[in-house]
Amino acid sequence: MKKTSKQIEPNENALTVNNLSVSFKTERGLLKAVDSVSFTIPKGSVLGIVGESGSGKTVLCRTLIRLLPESNLNIEGSIDLFGINVTELRKRQLRQLYKNVASIIFQDPLTALNPVMKVKHQIAESLKLHTETSRSQRKQEVIDILELVGIPDPQIKANCYPHQLSGGQRQRVMIACAIASSPTLLIADEPTTALDTTIQLQILQLLKSLQKLNQMTLILVSHDLGVVNYICDYVAVMYAGKLVEFGKTSDVLDHPYMPYTKALLDCMPSLSKPKSHKLQSIPNSMPDPFSLPLGCRFAPRCTYVQSRCVIESPKLISDSSEANIHEYACFFPIKPIVSKVALTSQTDNENT
Amino acid sequence: MKFIIKKLSILIVTVFIASIFGFIFEHLIPGNPAVAILGPQATPHNVAVLTTKLGLNKSPVQQYFTWIKNFFTGHFGYAYSSGDSVKTLIAQSYTETLELIVGSQVLAFLIAIPISVRAAVKPNKIFDKFTSVISFGFYSFPAFVVAPILILIFAVKLGIVPASGYVGPSQSIGQNIKDMALPCITLALGSFAVYSQILRSELVNLLKEDFALFAKSKGISKYKIVFKHCFRLSSLSLVTISGLQISTLITGAFVIEYIFQLPGLGTLIINAINSKDYLVIQAVSVLVVMAVATINTLVDISYAFLDPRIRREN
């Protein structure tokens, strides 16, 4: 069995995002959906992007392959995907990228699959663009892929329309469409949100096994930290368009530095906690993207807020004390040992 | 199958009701047809004789049932005014009307489809704005305004086509096309405006849908997404509109026929109304209702073929 990130050399990067900003021209003015995001992930790893609705995670992941309609869009910064400079690609080159390198899965398979097109044609479409094969051969390949994604009776289901399948099967069909072009990068935009809890796990297991089998790099967008913890090697936490924490999943979820990440974790219901344990929620909602706070964007909702947070915007900084990269954007990170030192030095600075 | 039978039975009921209404409404037209046939100098005796001969002294219900029985056996009766068989009159004129409607619709689609596809692929760009201004222009000009302008330019100034007249396709296809060109174009321009705007907005919306975005992520070019993914779905509303459009076009065609002096059903019915020729009016109007109802039934049935989801619901 092929292993993920551990065997891969650190300089073999799948994706390097540098200072990426995405803004939409709207009637109310420029809306910055993604603001100066930078991160790097190695080949064959699984990255989870988490955040509330409207945090910019979907825009970010769609921008990674330039899928958004670009008439009212402004992209700044650079995206390096397997050595390809995605931001510089022309339309035709972009199609080549879709045909051979990158694929995406959407949240709701009912709207993402064409309702009036048979399943087999929708899969064959990706296949046809990727490889030159004869018709009969392609027919067999479609059946093979359906079998691979765990569709029972693939011969029969291939002739179905999407509405004739169950929700889980539809999501499997969408995955089949996406992997038919054997992509090296697969982006899954909340692939389990529209599904029953019982099916969610099956789909995640399928994604994980396909990722290992094809040595794909997988980017999973989710607002479910449980899902991220289950499948991801890295996690990126987004808040109001900013990347606020990034690192190995175990580091970030076990020891979150950024109060927002901690707040997200506190919001998770857990079966192991006693019933008397009160479920937390983050008070208020995300700031209006047209009138963002001057300082840290999470400051108005943060329980650890200090005066500096309101006036100054924290940059993403790396925690040098650890061997693994663990970045966070916070002046007063929650650190069991280091935090006190940081806190005093920060306050000292403010006093002088 | 059950779905089709259901639709067909609705069709039969519609035609039946329409024939009753047609019957009632035209009997509301003032004046006695016997007087109309014989002229103002007719003696009361002659009028009474003719009234009896035509069956006009019977009760309206009896008149209706006599007529409906004959209608379905193909006997539409004889025109009061000329004495010609109504069947022959209709047979002489329906080809021209059919040619006008079919020709104009084919022409409208041929112009509308490529233009709206091009406009939808790059919405709000120059081409899109230009074509939508033009089609709104055509839409707002009624046919009786467009027709004289076209006649003035193409028939009077350039002399490419005749201003009026009609030669059947069996006599001379070339002359037939020339004769039908202007009437077809006049009707087509209005329909083109409707079709291109509907198709354009439909395609623009469909291209924003998730499945179009998903198709894009497979590496399919935009035109292919339009033709392979969006066209079948957009054809649903296009078929609906064209069903409605053709219904109004039948009456629109009557006006066009009058302007271009084409011997079609329109000219026939207008003359019949002027001479209070009940049987002709009745036969033509019920035939038109049948045609409209049939077209709408075909539209309903075509939904099931175009969208597999409707098939299941029924």
Side-chain angles (χ1 to χ4, degrees):
Chain A
M1 201 67 194
K2 291 136 196 166
K3 279 277 161 90
T4 50
S5 59
K6 276 157 203 162
Q7 289 179 332
I8 286 159
E9 286 172 45
N11 57 350
E12 266 198 84
N13 289 330
L15 177 66
T16 306
V17 175
N18 199 1
N19 222 0
L20 184 72
S21 295
V22 185
S23 37
F24 296 95
K25 287 172 207 136
T26 68
E27 281 168 14
R28 284 178 68 192
L30 214 59
L31 189 152
K32 219 165 194 179
V34 173
D35 193 351
S36 324
V37 167
S38 306
F39 64 86
T40 299
I41 51 165
K43 274 182 190 167
S45 61
V46 183
L47 167 72
I49 302 178
V50 288
E52 283 167 270
S53 308
S55 59
K57 51 193 196 309
T58 293
V59 172
L60 172 65
C61 77
R62 289 187 185 182
T63 306
L64 293 179
I65 55 170
R66 297 244 317 267
L67 197 60
L68 293 168
E70 289 180 357
S71 50
N72 290 313
L73 197 69
N74 191 19
I75 303 174
E76 284 166 274
S78 70
I79 302 160
D80 183 315
L81 183 64
F82 305 109
I84 305 163
N85 191 346
V86 178
T87 41
E88 299 288 306
L89 290 181
R90 287 158 172 276
K91 258 189 190 165
R92 191 163 295 178
Q93 297 168 312
L94 210 51
R95 282 217 295 278
Q96 289 300 322
L97 182 84
Y98 298 147
K99 283 179 200 173
N100 303 314
V101 182
S103 287
I104 189 165
I105 300 165
F106 292 153
Q107 177 178 340
D108 188 358
L110 193 59
T111 58
L113 293 173
N114 190 330
V116 297
M117 210 169 164
K118 280 181 181 171
V119 160
K120 61 176 177 186
H121 295 306
Q122 304 202 37
I123 299 170
E125 207 173 39
S126 316
L127 274 174
K128 199 155 75 183
L129 290 167
H130 181 63
T131 45
E132 298 259 326
T133 43
S134 69
R135 232 180 183 180
S136 56
Q137 214 177 333
R138 205 155 53 224
K139 229 176 192 171
Q140 188 52 48
E141 278 178 58
V142 168
I143 304 292
D144 291 345
I145 291 173
L146 281 174
E147 202 155 17
L148 182 69
V149 296
I151 297 263
D153 308 319
Q155 302 271 7
I156 302 164
K157 300 288 179 192
N159 281 311
C160 286
Y161 289 98
H163 72 268
Q164 294 168 313
L165 304 175
S166 70
Q169 285 174 343
R170 277 198 286 266
Q171 190 55 282
R172 285 174 199 270
V173 168
M174 183 141 75
I175 294 172
C177 290
I179 62 160
S181 58
S182 5
T184 35
L185 172 75
L186 179 64
I187 297 172
D189 188 353
E190 306 205 25
T192 57
T193 311
L195 300 175
D196 282 352
T197 352
T198 44
I199 313 289
Q200 283 186 4
L201 187 67
Q202 293 177 13
I203 296 292
L204 286 177
Q205 281 167 339
L206 173 68
L207 281 175
K208 199 168 184 173
S209 69
L210 288 171
Q211 182 262 332
K212 279 186 178 162
L213 186 70
N214 299 349
Q215 286 188 292
M216 283 188 297
T217 304
L218 177 66
I219 295 178
L220 185 87
V221 178
S222 180
H223 52 239
D224 187 341
L225 286 170
V227 168
V228 171
N229 192 28
Y230 178 72
I231 189 171
C232 298
D233 305 319
Y234 293 87
V235 59
V237 183
M238 300 273 297
Y239 186 80
K242 284 262 191 197
L243 180 63
V244 292
E245 188 154 8
F246 178 82
K248 285 248 178 190
T249 310
S250 50
D251 296 339
V252 174
L253 296 189
D254 293 348
H255 307 287
Y257 289 169
M258 171 72 193
Y260 177 61
T261 316
K262 187 179 178 293
L264 274 183
L265 282 165
D266 288 340
C267 294
M268 268 175 68
S270 168
L271 291 175
S272 59
K273 282 176 192 161
K275 266 193 183 157
S276 57
H277 178 85
K278 215 178 152 207
L279 199 59
Q280 299 285 313
S281 72
I282 308 176
N284 302 323
S285 54
M286 274 216 293
D288 176 13
F290 289 103
S291 55
L292 290 167
L294 185 69
C296 173
R297 289 174 187 182
F298 186 58
R301 298 168 79 186
C302 185
T303 40
Y304 302 86
V305 66
Q306 309 227 3
S307 54
R308 188 183 177 191
C309 305
V310 185
I311 31 174
E312 209 180 320
S313 181
K315 291 214 160 51
L316 200 67
I317 43 172
S318 188
D319 182 5
S320 50
S321 66
E322 281 177 53
N324 286 320
I325 313 154
H326 187 167
E327 296 168 313
Y328 55 93
C330 186
F331 294 124
F332 310 105
I334 312 156
K335 289 189 195 175
I337 313 147
V338 201
S339 60
K340 252 183 192 167
V341 187
L343 239 165
T344 42
S345 69
Q346 303 281 16
T347 35
D348 282 352
N349 284 345
E350 262 173 45
N351 292 338
T352 50
Chain B
M1 206 50 216
K2 207 177 158 189
F3 169 67
I4 294 174
I5 291 168
K6 200 171 126 195
K7 290 288 169 197
L8 287 178
S9 46
I10 293 173
L11 172 66
I12 292 166
V13 174
T14 314
V15 170
F16 182 70
I17 294 172
S19 69
I20 294 175
F21 272 103
F23 184 82
I24 293 170
F25 280 128
E26 54 165 74
H27 275 257
L28 292 178
I29 302 174
N32 186 344
V35 178
I37 295 166
L38 296 170
Q41 268 92 44
T43 61
H45 173 71
N46 285 352
V47 170
V49 168
L50 189 63
T51 308
T52 321
K53 194 184 158 199
L54 294 172
L56 293 170
N57 58 342
K58 287 182 192 165
S59 76
V61 178
Q62 272 177 309
Q63 284 187 50
Y64 173 74
F65 277 107
T66 319
W67 176 79
I68 200 98
K69 197 184 90 198
N70 290 335
F71 186 87
F72 284 106
T73 46
H75 299 292
F76 301 140
Y78 295 89
Y80 304 148
S81 47
S82 59
D84 290 332
S85 136
V86 177
K87 203 175 167 185
T88 327
L89 287 174
I90 290 173
Q92 281 168 351
S93 42
Y94 87 95
T95 40
E96 185 279 328
T97 306
L98 200 65
E99 214 183 317
L100 182 60
I101 289 170
V102 172
S104 67
Q105 294 310 289
V106 169
L107 199 62
F109 276 116
L110 283 181
I111 322 169
I113 291 172
I115 284 182
S116 46
V117 167
R118 175 69 175 72
V121 165
K122 285 180 179 166
N124 300 323
K125 291 282 157 66
I126 287 178
F127 184 85
D128 182 24
K129 284 182 175 163
F130 180 71
T131 50
S132 61
V133 166
I134 293 220
S135 46
F136 273 118
F138 284 137
Y139 184 69
S140 35
F141 274 107
F144 59 80
V145 175
V146 176
I149 297 173
L150 288 180
I151 291 175
L152 195 69
I153 298 172
F154 293 100
V156 179
K157 293 266 180 205
L158 300 174
I160 316 170
V161 287
S164 63
Y166 178 75
V167 173
S170 51
Q171 286 165 280
S172 159
I173 290 196
Q175 188 58 40
N176 179 256
I177 291 172
K178 271 189 175 176
D179 285 341
M180 293 306 289
L182 284 189
C184 280
I185 290 171
T186 311
L187 265 192
L189 287 178
S191 303
F192 146 76
V194 176
Y195 294 153
S196 67
Q197 288 308 299
I198 296 280
L199 189 57
R200 179 222 166 256
S201 66
E202 191 75 4
L203 288 176
V204 166
N205 286 334
L206 285 173
L207 281 170
K208 284 185 199 153
E209 292 275 328
D210 267 3
F211 71 82
L213 205 62
F214 189 55
K216 183 185 171 188
S217 83
K218 289 175 181 173
I220 305 170
S221 71
K222 213 161 182 184
Y223 282 99
K224 261 199 173 158
I225 294 175
V226 168
F227 284 112
K228 283 186 76 183
H229 285 265
C230 303
F231 217 72
R232 193 166 155 185
L233 278 166
S234 66
S235 60
L236 275 171
S237 42
L238 206 61
V239 162
T240 313
I241 294 296
S242 65
L244 293 172
Q245 189 69 17
I246 289 171
S247 316
T248 54
L249 265 181
I250 293 177
T251 45
F254 291 173
V255 177
I256 299 291
E257 282 171 14
Y258 196 74
I259 296 170
F260 289 95
Q261 314 235 308
L262 301 169
L265 286 178
T267 313
L268 182 68
I269 204 167
I270 288 169
N271 290 338
I273 291 169
N274 287 337
S275 54
K276 297 197 180 61
D277 221 336
Y278 283 172
L279 289 182
V280 178
I281 306 170
Q282 210 164 31
V284 174
S285 54
V286 174
L287 280 177
V288 167
V289 169
M290 278 175 79
V292 171
T294 310
I295 285 164
N296 284 318
T297 307
L298 286 178
V299 165
D300 281 350
I301 292 172
S302 74
Y303 287 160
F305 285 98
L306 289 168
D307 194 335
R309 288 169 298 180
I310 294 171
R311 246 174 277 169
R312 190 181 66 161
E313 280 161 25
N314 292 282

